[in-house]
Amino acid sequence: MKQDTEVFSVTCDRPTPDMNCKVRIDFMIALWHGKRDASTPPWGDRTEFSPLLRMLGDEVAFVIDTVASSVS
Amino acid sequence: MSLDLSSVEAKMGRAADHLNALKDQVGSWRKRDVYALVSHVNPQNTVFSFTLNILNEPPLQDWSLIIGDCISNLRCALDHLIYAIAVHESNTSPPPNEDALMFPICDGPTAFGKKGVQDRIKTLSLPVRTAIEASRTSDRIHRFRPFFPSCGISTTPISISCSAWLLPQSDRGSSTYRLIRFLVPNEIFIPASDMPK
């Protein structure tokens, strides 16, 4: 996101001077990684950094354990 | 001689250190006022909008470098594993085929059998090569749901493969030279009183 990015808008079909609404917007620190396949949801090509890196670490640890246990 | 995994564990530890450092930096950054929203309304009172005013730029380049270091250490841990096994099995250090040793991560299920991949581990014993093939990351799919847990938006687990993240630089093509891309974070609440009147 960049300075002055529009993040939210509401368009009414008639003048609404007393417009009053409550909005909550979530942002996240995410890493882009591409989709696994076409069935992945539109936002599925990015993941919050912490679980993604933790998952990678778990994966590597799993591989290390598996391969090391094969050594006689 | 027992298998010496000390350098493997050191690399894994360094990766964890980078992740923890990043969490600390992100946490410190988020405690500040990082964004404000500016409200807008058109003269006809029909279009109401908010734009982003960035008060404190996130140090994305620094974070990108830390994440790159984290992933690099994970990748190196796998290579150190292969080297340690080669030393253990050959009982020599440096081991045979030292320059070619590398943990083969394949970006596809058929790539493992290619000569260039097999050359990386050809001096290792058959049980080890079999274990590597069985555990290769390209075929492992991870399912988790990291998106917007507080909002419950993501109820469908997403699937990704971690193989592309751990490919050696020579196999990553142009992405080798790109910084890791970020999307920007934070949580903003807009009280009703802040809406344009």
Side-chain angles (χ1 to χ4, degrees):
Chain A
M1 286 197 171
K2 294 180 169 52
Q3 180 72 17
D4 299 325
T5 299
E6 183 178 280
V7 293
F8 175 76
S9 71
V10 174
T11 302
C12 305
D13 58 5
R14 65 175 74 91
T16 314
D18 296 326
M19 167 64 77
N20 192 4
C21 67
K22 188 173 184 178
V23 178
R24 171 177 162 165
I25 299 174
D26 279 343
F27 295 92
M28 69 191 310
I29 301 174
L31 297 170
W32 176 90
H33 49 65
K35 293 182 180 180
R36 173 73 179 184
D37 55 52
S39 66
T40 307
W43 39 261
D45 60 357
R46 67 211 71 164
T47 302
E48 204 269 334
F49 79 95
S50 182
L52 179 63
L53 292 179
R54 196 167 57 243
M55 181 275 294
L56 282 171
D58 290 347
E59 170 68 13
V60 171
F62 168 82
V63 171
I64 289 170
D65 288 345
T66 301
V67 175
S69 65
S70 71
V71 177
S72 56
Chain B
M1 184 170 66
S2 62
L3 180 61
D4 180 9
L5 295 179
S6 57
S7 69
V8 178
E9 292 161 357
K11 286 292 183 182
M12 292 296 286
R14 182 65 73 182
D17 290 344
H18 284 304
L19 177 56
N20 290 331
L22 182 62
K23 286 179 179 176
D24 289 344
Q25 289 194 23
V26 172
S28 298
W29 176 77
R30 292 189 72 155
K31 286 178 182 173
R32 299 185 293 174
D33 292 331
V34 291
Y35 294 120
L37 290 181
V38 180
S39 61
H40 308 273
V41 58
N42 68 348
Q44 295 78 31
N45 282 311
T46 55
V47 178
F48 306 87
S49 64
F50 288 94
T51 56
L52 197 62
N53 180 23
I54 300 174
L55 304 176
N56 284 292
E57 284 275 358
L60 296 181
Q61 183 164 306
D62 290 347
W63 295 348
S64 178
L65 294 171
I66 293 173
I67 288 178
D69 288 343
C70 178
I71 294 172
S72 176
N73 275 280
L74 293 175
R75 166 73 221 184
C76 286
L78 293 171
D79 291 337
H80 278 241
L81 171 68
I82 296 302
Y83 193 94
I85 293 173
V87 170
H88 174 78
E89 291 190 330
S90 67
N91 211 21
T92 59
S93 182
N97 201 33
E98 175 192 24
D99 292 340
L101 288 172
M102 177 187 288
F103 188 98
I105 295 177
C106 308
D107 193 14
T110 60
F112 190 79
K114 292 182 177 176
K115 183 177 183 302
V117 173
Q118 289 296 314
D119 283 348
R120 300 296 188 181
I121 54 174
K122 65 183 181 184
T123 57
L124 304 183
S125 65
L126 179 59
V128 171
R129 284 185 277 131
T130 302
I132 292 171
E133 180 173 14
S135 66
R136 66 185 191 272
T137 56
S138 59
D139 289 346
R140 291 172 52 77
I141 298 174
H142 307 271
R143 307 184 77 81
F144 59 110
R145 51 186 74 181
F147 267 72
F148 302 116
S150 61
C151 299
I153 289 177
S154 171
T155 56
T156 305
I158 65 170
S159 302
I160 66 170
S161 165
C162 70
S163 62
W165 291 82
L166 297 174
L167 283 173
Q169 287 196 346
S170 57
D171 293 345
R172 270 187 256 140
S174 59
S175 64
T176 300
Y177 306 105
R178 294 183 196 142
L179 288 173
I180 293 166
R181 282 182 276 183
F182 277 102
L183 304 173
V184 182
N186 202 3
E187 192 171 88
I188 298 173
F189 294 92
I190 309 170
S193 58
D194 286 354
M195 288 295 293
K197 297 290 189 289

